[in-house]
Amino acid sequence: MIIVTGAAGFIGSCLIQRLNQDGFNFIIAVDDFSNPLKMKNLENKKIQEFVHRDVFFEWLDKNQAEVEFCFHIGARTDTAEFDQDIFNRLNLNYSKQIWKKCHLYQIPLIYASSAATYGNGEFGYDDNELQIPQLKPLNPYGESKNEFDKWALLQKDAPFFWAGLKFFNVFGPNEYHKSRMASVIFHSYNQIKATGRIKLFKSHRPDFKDGEQMRDFVYVKDLVEVCIHLMHSRRNSGIYNLGTGNARTFLDLAKATFAALNLEPQIDFIDTPVDIRDKYQYFTQANMSKLRLIGYKKSFTSLEDSVQDYVSNYLVGDNYL
């Protein structure tokens, strides 16, 4: 049995599809399962059992002997949410309990951290564990992820293998339910479909031109390949970046979306919403050398190729992975 928390979500459901592809069909899907739009992500997946997140720990106590691996992907991921209690409950404390159970039952664990932990990037984007206590995330979501990373590194009692993965800007199939928090590619496609144009945020900093804010955009299909690799290798526990190592501009992304639809770019610039303006990252780029050093050899799909695949094979037909 393989546990996937956040199973009905974007990344969790794509991971289940990839596990099924390799014949792993005894999947324990953990989530709250209350959003019917998210449940579409799990159609046609091979799943052994659906377990509500509120009763998961009771389930695990009863079934731990059969569990071979745990992917803890579930989290509250809304960067515009500022209720600290929500993040403490769903991200920090829930993750601590999963860690303790995985140590108790010696279940290897991969959990989702985030590039949001890096804040403005004043300490760079190196997954150096000695720097993690110094990081200054810009919002409660990033703080909750960094607090758990810091806590995990201090634990003497740990699963025999564990990895925290700092996901950068992930995009791809199965994010139809994410509304405001969906990727810029998802929003760009829908804007083109509705108006023939794309809106990008203006820059509110003199050192970046409009649309030239940069992110390390990583395709979800590449992300789950890393998860599969680590599940099999089970060596070198620690915290790792998971991006491409190659930052690209939002203009690049917008142009790639138009190109995937065989259209000429039509781009407008709008003010960044006031509620996120002071907390907005202008640049992220994962240093991927640490993951490479432990033996991950596969290349990451280019932005142009991954946007082409996402738009033409999924968004155009409202298809799921």
Side-chain angles (χ1 to χ4, degrees):
M1 285 181 178
I2 297 174
I3 293 165
V4 179
T5 74
F10 162 42
I11 296 172
S13 62
C14 290
L15 176 59
I16 290 172
Q17 188 277 338
R18 183 62 183 80
L19 288 164
N20 286 171
Q21 184 181 314
D22 279 1
F24 294 102
N25 299 331
F26 293 101
I27 305 297
I28 306 304
V30 180
D31 213 314
D32 67 2
F33 307 115
S34 61
N35 183 339
L37 195 56
K38 284 176 71 174
M39 291 303 292
K40 289 179 73 68
N41 288 339
L42 294 179
E43 289 180 3
N44 304 313
K45 308 282 192 296
K46 294 183 176 68
I47 292 169
Q48 175 80 3
E49 193 170 346
F50 294 85
V51 179
H52 194 282
R53 70 184 183 204
D54 291 346
V55 299
F56 167 60
F57 296 113
E58 296 168 31
W59 179 95
L60 185 57
D61 289 338
K62 293 174 184 173
N63 296 278
Q64 49 86 14
E66 297 178 77
V67 176
E68 292 184 43
F69 207 92
C70 179
F71 290 99
H72 176 38
I73 309 298
R76 182 62 176 264
T77 59
D78 189 345
T79 56
E81 171 65 69
F82 287 91
D83 185 340
Q84 192 75 54
D85 289 341
I86 289 175
F87 289 110
N88 285 342
R89 179 167 55 88
L90 294 179
N91 291 7
L92 184 57
N93 295 333
Y94 199 90
S95 299
K96 287 180 180 180
Q97 199 163 353
I98 285 181
W99 175 284
K100 289 173 182 177
K101 293 288 187 185
C102 286
H103 165 255
L104 177 64
Y105 299 131
Q106 284 302 286
I107 299 167
L109 170 69
I110 288 174
Y111 73 86
S113 183
S114 172
T117 57
Y118 287 117
N120 271 330
E122 57 265 59
F123 298 103
Y125 297 92
D126 296 335
D127 42 10
N128 179 345
E129 292 169 9
L130 296 176
Q131 288 186 339
I132 285 173
Q134 304 170 47
L135 299 179
K136 297 176 182 177
L138 297 174
N139 51 51
Y141 164 68
E143 288 169 6
S144 71
K145 290 295 189 180
N146 201 52
E147 285 302 310
F148 183 69
D149 287 345
K150 290 193 294 184
W151 181 88
L153 290 170
L154 292 173
Q155 299 314 298
K156 292 177 182 172
D157 294 331
F160 72 86
F161 169 75
W162 65 272
L165 301 178
K166 288 182 183 264
F167 297 161
F168 276 66
N169 276 68
V170 191
F171 68 96
N174 299 13
E175 56 172 336
Y176 298 106
H177 64 281
K178 287 177 65 70
S179 61
R180 187 182 179 186
M181 289 298 119
S183 71
V184 178
I185 296 136
F186 178 84
H187 289 301
S188 296
Y189 169 76
N190 284 300
Q191 287 172 21
I192 294 170
K193 195 165 68 168
T195 68
R197 309 180 70 82
I198 285 178
K199 293 179 180 179
L200 294 178
F201 290 153
K202 290 178 182 175
S203 172
H204 297 271
R205 282 174 44 175
D207 51 335
F208 285 85
K209 294 178 182 177
D210 290 345
E212 294 191 3
Q213 303 96 319
M214 301 182 80
R215 289 281 195 282
D216 192 332
F217 298 104
V218 58
Y219 200 26
V220 70
K221 291 184 180 183
D222 290 334
L223 180 149
V224 298
E225 289 298 325
V226 174
C227 291
I228 297 294
H229 171 83
L230 291 172
M231 180 183 77
H232 288 302
S233 70
R234 303 187 188 193
R235 294 189 304 276
N236 306 107
S237 294
I239 295 174
Y240 295 89
N241 281 339
L242 212 177
T244 65
N246 184 23
R248 300 291 298 274
T249 69
F250 283 101
L251 271 176
D252 290 337
L253 182 150
K255 289 173 182 175
T257 308
F258 278 109
L261 293 165
N262 296 310
L263 295 171
E264 285 296 314
Q266 303 290 333
I267 300 167
D268 302 312
F269 294 98
I270 60 171
D271 288 334
T272 305
V274 174
D275 65 330
I276 63 170
R277 192 177 299 174
D278 294 340
K279 310 291 185 183
Y280 188 77
Q281 290 175 307
Y282 274 69
F283 176 85
T284 66
Q285 181 171 274
N287 181 342
M288 294 301 294
S289 58
K290 189 173 170 185
L291 187 68
R292 296 300 192 191
L293 281 171
I294 65 164
Y296 189 72
K297 306 290 188 195
K298 289 186 178 180
S299 58
F300 290 87
T301 315
S302 71
L303 180 66
E304 287 75 13
D305 288 346
S306 52
V307 169
Q308 177 71 47
D309 181 59
Y310 182 27
V311 171
S312 60
N313 292 320
Y314 299 95
L315 292 177
V316 166
D318 289 331
N319 296 318
Y320 288 78
L321 182 65

